[in-house]
Every structure is written in structure tokens, then in C-alpha cells.
Amino acid sequence: MATNLSIDPELIEQALKVSGERTKKAAVTRALEEFISRRKQKCLLDLMGKLEWDQSFDYKADRSRR
């Protein structure tokens, strides 16, 4: 899907520098992926203190290899 956007050229240049991407498209794509990922993480953090946990659950035992 082709989309034309008017983005601040200084922001694009900064995104290219900090991301290490070679193209504007790649830099914008990476920025969007990271934005989405952080928002999803924030939603999980918002659940802190709102869920009930089973205190008897041993997460370390569940990790053990069989």
C-alpha cells in the first residue's frame, strides 16, 4: 500500500542515524515496529497490581528441562 506522508526531515535524518537503517522506508518501518512494541509492553505494565497471582506457583520448576 503506497502512502505519501509529510514527515519532518530532521526527524527522518535522526531516525536514519540512530537506527542504522540505510533507507527512509526502513527507518520509518523500524520506528513504527518499536512504537507498537512499546505500546503493547505498556498495556502489560498497566495490568500490574490488577491481576491475582497464585502464590503457590513455582515458575522455576516449570522452566526445568525434562
Side-chain angles (χ1 to χ4, degrees):
M1 165 179 57
T3 303
N4 292 323
L5 300 172
S6 178
I7 301 175
D8 183 340
E10 289 180 25
L11 289 176
I12 291 289
E13 288 305 316
Q14 287 181 34
L16 284 166
K17 285 181 185 177
V18 300
S19 69
E21 297 293 347
R22 293 183 175 195
T23 66
K24 292 176 184 178
K25 178 182 176 181
V28 170
T29 298
R30 176 179 269 189
L32 287 170
E33 290 169 347
E34 290 183 17
F35 174 80
I36 292 165
S37 176
R38 285 185 178 258
R39 288 296 170 114
K40 286 181 178 180
Q41 290 173 5
K42 184 183 179 309
C43 289
L44 290 175
L45 287 175
D46 289 343
L47 291 175
M48 292 294 287
K50 296 179 182 176
L51 301 175
E52 293 182 28
W53 298 99
D54 180 0
Q55 298 297 325
S56 66
F57 179 69
D58 185 1
Y59 68 93
K60 289 184 180 179
D62 199 42
R63 287 189 203 167
S64 66
R65 296 180 186 211
R66 298 172 194 183

